[in-house]
Amino acid sequence: MKFSTFFKSVLLCACCLLSGVSGAQQQTILVFGDSLSAAYGIPRASGWVNLLQQELQRSHPQYKVINASISGETASGGRQRIDSTLRQHSPSIVILELGANDGLRGMPIADIENNLSALIQQSQKGNRKVLLIGIQLPPNYGKSYTGQFKALYSRLAQRHKVELVPFMLKNVQPEQFQADNLHPMASAQAQILQTILDKLKPLLKTTIF
């Protein structure tokens, strides 16, 4: 009887220790973006960020996902709040998805690039890993401007040595966009997730996909 009680106590202590180790090892992935990551126009549960959390719960349970995306956010606006967000959540990986609204407003390319560069540098402090998400503008903004806008993401990725998703809406079909022709429907979110996962995998400590 005494042996049985002792054995149960040992098991309980072991479980507590394992639980503590598991909790200590949990890391945060911060998604810092705009409406494309904030599930604009669709149920939040259907958005690619929530789908990412579901996938990681299965494959990489040591990671949790925090979505700090705000619809309408710009790179300049994100620059103002990135430090406080980083302090609040202490992420080990930052998925940076901004710039689209700046481009849609026709802001100077140099200003967009400068703000995104600052965001990357701030996110990299403390040896954080950064995944930069690229976007492209509709052709009606002109070949010159859209070309310069597209090129700034690869330039930033090379300069700061970060992983890059060249175009997050790659392979999203025209019929999968909402009426504004800018925001993807719920049916496109799994494809967006896969495009991002392809570049996120190398940043995860253990790859078991």
Side-chain angles (χ1 to χ4, degrees), residues 57-120:
Q57 284 176 349
R58 179 189 67 80
S59 61
H60 292 71
Q62 71 270 36
Y63 288 99
K64 65 176 180 178
V65 180
I66 298 295
N67 192 355
S69 303
I70 299 176
S71 292
E73 185 67 286
T74 60
S76 57
R79 186 174 179 177
Q80 300 303 313
R81 66 183 181 94
I82 185 65
D83 280 341
S84 61
T85 305
L86 292 172
R87 286 196 301 270
Q88 179 182 358
H89 300 292
S90 300
S92 56
I93 298 175
V94 178
I95 299 178
L96 181 60
E97 182 272 301
L98 284 174
N101 288 311
D102 306 73
L104 291 173
R105 296 176 187 182
M107 293 181 63
I109 296 296
D111 290 350
I112 302 173
E113 185 167 352
N114 181 57
N115 285 322
L116 285 174
S117 182
L119 281 164
I120 294 171

Side-chain angles (χ1 to χ4, degrees), residues 18-27:
L18 287 174
S19 177
V21 170
S22 177
Q25 290 179 338
Q26 189 172 48
Q27 299 181 60

